[in-house]
Amino acid sequence: MEIGVVGKPNVGKSTFFSAATLVDVQIANYPFTTIDANVGVTYAVAEHPCKELGCKPNPQNYEYKDGLALIPIKMIDVAGLVPGAHEGRGLGNKFLDDLRMASALIHVVDVTGKTDAEGQLTDYHDPVEDIEFLEKEIDYWIYGILRKNWEKFAKRIKLQHLKLAQAIADQLTGIGVSEEDAFEAIHRLGLDNDPTKWSDKDLLAFVRELRKVNKPIIIAANKADAASDEQIEKLKKEGEKRGYIVVPTSAAAELTLRKAAKAGFIDYVPGSSDFKILKPMSAKQEKALQLIKEKVLDRFGSTGVQEVINRAVFELLQLVPVYPVEDEHKLTDQFGNVLPHVHLLPKGSTPRDLAYKVHTDLGKTFLYAVNARTHRRVGEDYELGFNDIIKIVATAR
């Protein structure tokens, strides 16, 4: 799974990425600072079952801190987007190539309206327009792929009695579209199963719906500490009207806090509303941290960066963390490690899905599972819940 950080130049996109991953990237106050995509690892943060159960975990594929599980997620910071990207304008082709396999997109928007459509400084630009233009660029990018040979393609589907959703998914496999994605978009719009009957308007409507399914977007209303309450509320209202989650964010504040924590000056857990000073620092550094406390943490409850990541993973993508174990009483693997692994699975997944995630052979030989909390046997139709601890029982091979 991969999350893309997108947006026009000069809105704090690379700062957001750097804050989320602590990967050093070039950050500057001019367009196209990012040319080659930056790739790093960020973390989705969730309460750990040990906080409730009073155990001490031995994490192997995640990190643990203060009762929280920090679950690694791949993140990519793509080149800045400008209007006309789908036609190759700016770094458009590279931008669109970089986000091909992203499962979700974090759209970083300058909520202050101080950057225009090209990413240049201005007195005022409506941030709502940035939401609309990102939608348009992605829509026309996907539309361009399908529209090129649509008539021939549609006739072949009809003549060969192909499954429409599968044929479209095969055509768009390069951008990570699945048969389920295509079927969902067709079903939502009630489109005819005969694609030769689709008009250009139908095709564009399908593409728009497919983008919502395949590339869901969350809005990081960045530079919120420099914005008025009215500006933030307007963007939230307009974004939510279009079906988006909008989170006030200060990527610069988060980057400062994470760097200070890495250097050992403060104890700070991403997403927290406060931090603890651990050792002396310069008056300038202390003043900078105090300003972040007053203007960001006290005002918004957090910098918003971790909230954006968490909501992208748990709300937008509807993933649930599940812990597989071999001993449901001790909550350990075969080596005695307590809750060593966590897997993120789509909501609605079953124990058999978890078994396949752990190992293909385990999925093939799956018999049943045991819920470690209730110690009850569950079948393959059981829907895995958030923070479930599951023992898989399989046949011997």
Side-chain angles (χ1 to χ4, degrees):
M1 186 185 65
E2 185 176 290
I3 292 179
V5 181
V6 301
K8 68 188 184 188
N10 206 17
V11 293
K13 180 174 59 64
S14 291
T15 304
F16 184 101
F17 171 83
S18 190
T21 63
L22 280 185
V23 170
D24 286 327
V25 298
Q26 190 178 3
I27 298 169
N29 195 28
Y30 56 84
F32 305 124
T33 308
T34 304
I35 295 175
D36 295 317
N38 299 301
V39 180
V41 174
T42 188
Y43 296 89
V45 177
E47 281 204 355
H48 193 280
C50 278
K51 188 174 181 180
E52 167 200 346
L53 301 173
C55 51
K56 185 178 179 181
N58 309 109
Q60 305 294 307
N61 74 335
Y62 65 97
E63 294 185 26
Y64 176 82
K65 184 174 182 179
D66 299 338
L68 299 172
L70 281 66
I71 307 166
I73 304 288
K74 185 179 178 184
M75 180 173 274
I76 182 168
D77 168 32
V78 302
L81 180 68
V82 295
H86 70 279
E87 297 168 338
R89 195 162 169 267
L91 297 174
N93 291 330
K94 180 154 188 52
F95 167 88
L96 295 166
D97 278 345
D98 286 342
L99 61 77
R100 282 178 180 273
M101 301 309 292
S103 302
L105 303 176
I106 295 171
H107 184 189
V108 181
V109 172
D110 179 359
V111 70
T112 68
K114 295 294 185 183
T115 45
D116 67 16
E118 306 285 340
Q120 303 286 353
L121 296 179
T122 187
D123 289 332
Y124 182 71
H125 169 80
D126 188 351
V128 175
E129 291 180 19
D130 296 341
I131 297 175
E132 294 169 346
F133 106 80
L134 179 71
E135 292 176 342
K136 179 182 174 183
E137 293 302 330
I138 297 174
D139 290 346
Y140 278 96
W141 169 50
I142 302 172
Y143 176 78
I145 297 171
L146 280 179
R147 187 68 191 88
K148 196 183 295 182
N149 298 302
W150 178 255
E151 283 78 11
K152 279 186 183 177
F153 176 63
K155 284 176 185 174
R156 183 167 64 85
I157 292 172
K158 184 177 181 180
L159 290 172
Q160 297 179 14
H161 304 289
L162 301 177
K163 287 173 69 178
L164 177 57
Q166 181 61 64
I168 290 173
D170 289 345
Q171 193 82 349
L172 296 175
T173 188
I175 60 171
V177 172
S178 67
E179 180 180 357
E180 290 76 16
D181 292 339
F183 179 83
E184 178 71 16
I186 293 165
H187 179 71
R188 284 185 187 181
L189 295 170
L191 292 171
D192 199 295
N193 278 325
D194 178 359
T196 62
K197 294 181 180 178
W198 289 16
S199 64
D200 268 356
K201 188 177 177 182
D202 289 332
L203 185 58
L204 193 52
F206 166 74
V207 161
R208 286 187 180 123
E209 206 60 41
L210 184 64
R211 183 248 308 152
K212 294 175 188 177
V213 175
N214 180 252
K215 297 280 185 277
I217 300 169
I218 184 169
I219 309 293
N222 199 32
K223 305 184 183 181
D225 48 317
S228 66
D229 290 343
E230 290 75 20
Q231 286 174 312
I232 293 168
E233 283 309 307
K234 181 189 175 188
L235 184 60
K236 284 181 79 170
K237 186 178 177 182
E238 291 300 320
E240 288 165 3
K241 197 185 290 182
R242 291 165 167 79
Y244 293 114
I245 298 167
V246 180
V247 181
T249 306
S250 175
E254 180 71 12
L255 182 57
T256 300
L257 290 171
R258 292 207 190 188
K259 283 188 171 181
K262 188 179 180 182
F265 286 109
I266 63 172
D267 181 22
Y268 171 68
V269 177
S272 297
S273 60
D274 205 352
F275 55 85
K276 182 181 178 184
I277 294 176
L278 299 177
K279 64 182 184 182
M281 62 188 82
S282 71
K284 185 178 178 182
Q285 289 171 319
E286 199 162 326
K287 185 179 178 182
L289 290 175
Q290 188 57 36
L291 282 173
I292 288 173
K293 175 80 171 70
E294 292 170 6
K295 293 182 176 296
V296 180
L297 301 182
D298 290 347
R299 182 180 175 191
F300 300 110
S302 78
T303 68
V305 171
Q306 191 60 54
E307 182 183 345
V308 169
I309 296 164
N310 283 358
R311 296 185 74 177
V313 172
F314 301 128
E315 286 185 46
L316 211 58
L317 294 174
Q318 294 197 304
L319 298 175
V320 294
V322 183
Y323 295 80
V325 295
E326 291 210 11
D327 187 323
E328 71 272 32
H329 301 288
K330 296 181 180 177
L331 308 180
T332 57
D333 65 5
Q334 59 181 320
F335 305 109
N337 295 308
V338 176
L339 298 177
H341 296 100
V342 63
H343 295 286
L344 289 171
L345 291 148
K347 193 175 180 182
S349 293
T350 65
R352 186 186 285 274
D353 295 323
L354 174 63
Y356 270 109
K357 188 85 171 175
V358 173
H359 197 283
T360 304
D361 287 344
L362 198 60
K364 288 177 180 176
T365 57
F366 174 87
L367 277 178
Y368 63 91
V370 177
N371 185 321
R373 276 196 174 84
T374 62
H375 300 291
R376 290 181 178 174
R377 175 171 165 166
V378 293
E380 63 178 295
D381 59 344
Y382 171 77
E383 184 175 319
L384 295 170
F386 201 95
N387 275 353
D388 263 357
I389 304 169
I390 300 291
K391 174 184 178 177
I392 303 295
V393 178
T395 58
R397 293 201 65 167

